[in-house]
Amino acid sequence: MTNINSNCVGGDIKLRLFQEYFCAIELVRKGNRFNIDLKVADIYDIEDTRVDRLFREFTAASLGKINKDFDIKSMKKEDLMSSLIVIIGENIGTIATLMAENYNLKNIVFCGGFLLENKPLKQILSLLCKFKGKKAIFLKNSEYCGAIGALLFNSK
């Protein structure tokens, strides 16, 4: 196994935005991001055969339903948190699948503390991998991977 890429988006965002991590994950579970995100299915007619069922569930525009007429006060915190987790997940997943394609890899291993009890993020990453013909692998106790990697790096 070789590390071909790492991304600080997950861990950094976790530390900065989600002060109460487990509370934030619970909000994500309760939220409906499609109250504020625009998905592909919102743009294409149901009869349009150019877009398959799986792709219809992808994000066309994060926060895409927020415009000048949108009542920001009506936005639920749960929906915003759900949208943010998808923004993070889709960016990490897109980078990972592109890197895997570049190196001709079939499996992508995801690790880090941001995955800890974060089923919504794992679902996003799994869906992106499936769409790109890759297998998502999530390590147990992966919140320690960064520390172990640093230890191994410094022991050379």
Side-chain angles (χ1 to χ4, degrees):
M1 186 180 325
T2 302
N3 180 1
I4 58 169
N5 188 25
S6 296
N7 188 316
C8 66
V9 172
D12 192 43
I13 296 290
K14 173 186 163 189
L15 293 174
R16 305 283 185 260
L17 290 180
F18 306 141
Q19 298 296 323
E20 295 293 329
Y21 177 71
F22 295 108
C23 292
I25 297 304
E26 189 56 36
L27 286 174
V28 170
R29 287 186 185 122
K30 292 177 182 175
N32 179 0
R33 72 184 187 97
F34 292 120
N35 288 332
I36 55 178
D37 286 354
L38 198 63
K39 65 180 176 177
V40 172
D42 295 327
I43 298 171
Y44 287 91
D45 187 82
I46 192 76
E47 303 296 323
D48 194 329
T49 58
R50 295 176 296 170
V51 182
D52 66 26
R53 273 186 33 200
L54 179 60
F55 191 68
R56 287 181 176 281
E57 296 305 309
F58 280 56
T59 307
S62 297
L63 310 176
K65 292 181 180 173
I66 298 176
N67 58 33
K68 62 181 175 80
D69 299 323
F70 187 84
D71 180 12
I72 201 81
K73 293 177 184 168
S74 71
M75 183 171 39
K76 295 180 182 174
K77 189 175 185 178
E78 295 90 347
D79 296 343
L80 180 59
M81 294 300 276
S82 183
S83 179
L84 286 174
I85 213 79
V86 172
I87 291 169
I88 295 165
E90 287 183 349
N91 278 281
I92 292 170
T94 299
I95 292 167
T97 56
L98 288 171
M99 294 295 292
E101 287 173 0
N102 191 42
Y103 285 87
N104 200 29
L105 302 173
K106 295 192 184 318
N107 299 324
I108 301 174
V109 179
F110 294 99
C111 62
F114 201 44
L115 292 168
L116 182 63
E117 295 187 36
N118 195 338
K119 186 177 179 183
L121 180 60
K122 289 177 182 178
Q123 288 172 329
I124 294 160
L125 295 171
S126 294
L127 181 65
L128 276 165
C129 287
K130 179 180 178 181
F131 182 72
K132 292 290 192 169
K134 307 294 177 193
K135 181 180 179 187
I137 299 170
F138 300 100
L139 301 178
K140 291 182 181 177
N141 301 314
S142 71
E143 62 271 22
Y144 302 109
C145 287
I148 293 168
L151 179 66
L152 292 172
F153 179 79
N154 285 318
S155 66
K156 290 181 181 180

